[in-house]
Amino acid sequence: MRQHPQIEVVARDRNGGYRQAISEALPDATQVADRWHLLQNASDAFLAAVRRAMPVIRRTVCSAELDPGTLTAAERLQFEGFQRRQKTNVLIQRMGAEGVPIKRIVRVTGLSRGLVRRVLRGEREDVFRLRQSSLTPWFPLLEQHWQDGCRNGAELWRRLRANGFQGSLRVVGEWATRQRRAEAAIPHGSGKSPPSRKIARMMTSGRHHLSKADSICVAQIEHALPQLAQDRRLLDAFTSMIRNGEESGLAAWLDQAKTSGLAAFARGLSADLDAVAAALRELGPTARQKARSTG
């Protein structure tokens, strides 16, 4: 670096002595914290928070009951169907163990011969997954309107259309019908806790993109551990800041994070604040505008 004094900006990791080396070789250069490492450090901090909470998570996920208020209406309906399928699986496996012919099992259950064979081979364990459709990306907005009191399928469809939805009225109407049926569903716990890394991954994915069993698990955890749910929201906010170059929100984020499960990570950012702020500026609207004007 001393051989290239014309360098004005240096991107670096936040560890390993790079900060000191750059300061000595190029004291006037702007140091920018590498954005990939910032995102990785934030993910690691959230994983650490999940690991600290694992004793409570195990007790929560293995509990017998789940508060219906922690689930969306679609999740309640899907979980009810999942329970029915699991009971059918148990029935088929018990009949198979007793030597009941497949033909008779098919007649008793009403399922196809191929499906019965898959159950007997143990290939139909968890089918608790939300079917993807044109409506899938719109579930959060639908849930919001539903919770606000809009229960009419046609009105829900009109509201989605106003926001760019291109699907049919029938699809939205069927969704509304399923929500009304789901209101009375009473779910139960899933019984087994996944490992901490999987929990962190599930919590940082949208619940509508998870299998329904995983979605139920996340709902249980966030209901029992509101602080961990807040940590996840802080992680989401930090990720958004980094990806969009929103330097103006950094100070407020650090203030919120200092009493959270990400407090150690926030202290590290504060100690390297100039480089972190520079990383946001380099990606922010002003930097992008300059790049367009000179490109």
Side-chain angles (χ1 to χ4, degrees), residues 31-285:
Q31 297 189 32
V32 179
D34 179 75
R35 287 186 286 271
W36 184 90
H37 283 100
L38 287 172
L39 293 174
Q40 182 63 42
N41 296 157
S43 296
D44 290 344
F46 181 70
L47 175 59
V50 171
R51 285 173 172 162
R52 290 192 297 271
M54 283 306 294
V56 178
I57 289 175
R58 292 190 185 98
R59 290 195 299 272
T60 298
V61 175
C62 294
S63 65
E65 298 294 330
L66 175 65
D67 182 356
T70 66
L71 305 179
T72 65
E75 288 168 345
R76 292 196 297 272
L77 182 62
Q78 292 291 327
F79 191 70
E80 187 182 40
F82 168 72
Q83 289 180 306
R84 288 195 300 269
R85 290 190 294 272
Q86 290 296 81
K87 289 179 181 178
T88 302
N89 290 352
V90 171
L91 173 63
I92 292 172
Q93 290 164 353
R94 185 172 67 245
M95 293 175 72
E98 293 172 354
V100 178
I102 289 180
K103 184 176 182 179
R104 183 179 175 189
I105 297 176
V106 168
R107 187 166 60 250
V108 170
T109 62
L111 301 176
S112 69
R113 181 181 292 267
L115 181 54
V116 169
R117 288 185 183 277
R118 290 202 300 276
V119 173
L120 291 174
R121 290 196 297 262
E123 298 174 359
R124 192 207 189 206
E125 286 301 319
D126 183 7
V127 291
F128 191 27
R129 183 174 294 278
L130 186 64
R131 182 178 61 189
Q132 296 292 309
S133 72
S134 61
L135 199 59
T136 300
W138 300 90
F139 282 153
L141 184 58
L142 276 170
E143 289 286 348
Q144 179 183 334
H145 290 317
W146 189 267
Q147 295 300 325
D148 289 342
C150 181
R151 304 300 174 94
N152 181 273
E155 176 59 24
L156 287 167
W157 177 73
R158 283 191 289 270
R159 294 186 183 187
L160 291 192
R161 293 280 291 183
N163 283 275
F165 177 64
Q166 299 297 316
S168 67
L169 170 61
R170 178 184 60 81
V171 172
V172 179
E174 290 176 350
W175 182 90
T177 299
R178 290 195 297 270
Q179 308 323 300
R180 284 188 286 271
R181 288 172 51 200
E183 294 290 342
I186 303 177
H188 300 279
S190 58
K192 184 178 180 181
S193 173
S196 58
R197 190 172 294 276
K198 182 177 180 180
I199 289 174
R201 185 171 65 251
M202 291 190 307
M203 291 185 69
T204 52
S205 302
R207 273 164 63 177
H208 293 294
H209 297 293
L210 297 173
S211 73
K212 301 318 294 178
D214 288 349
S215 184
I216 295 294
C217 180
V218 171
Q220 289 176 295
I221 292 168
E222 293 195 344
H223 180 67
L225 292 161
Q227 180 57 64
L228 191 60
Q230 174 62 15
D231 293 343
R232 190 265 305 162
R233 287 189 288 270
L234 284 168
L235 175 63
D236 290 345
F238 183 78
T239 299
S240 177
M241 277 194 301
I242 294 297
R243 290 177 175 170
N244 297 306
E246 299 168 347
E247 182 188 0
S248 61
L250 181 58
W253 187 92
L254 290 171
D255 187 58
Q256 293 179 49
K258 66 184 180 182
T259 57
S260 73
L262 307 183
F265 172 63
R267 288 194 296 271
L269 293 181
S270 297
D272 200 17
L273 188 58
D274 289 343
V276 174
L280 296 172
R281 284 197 300 274
E282 289 296 318
L283 190 64

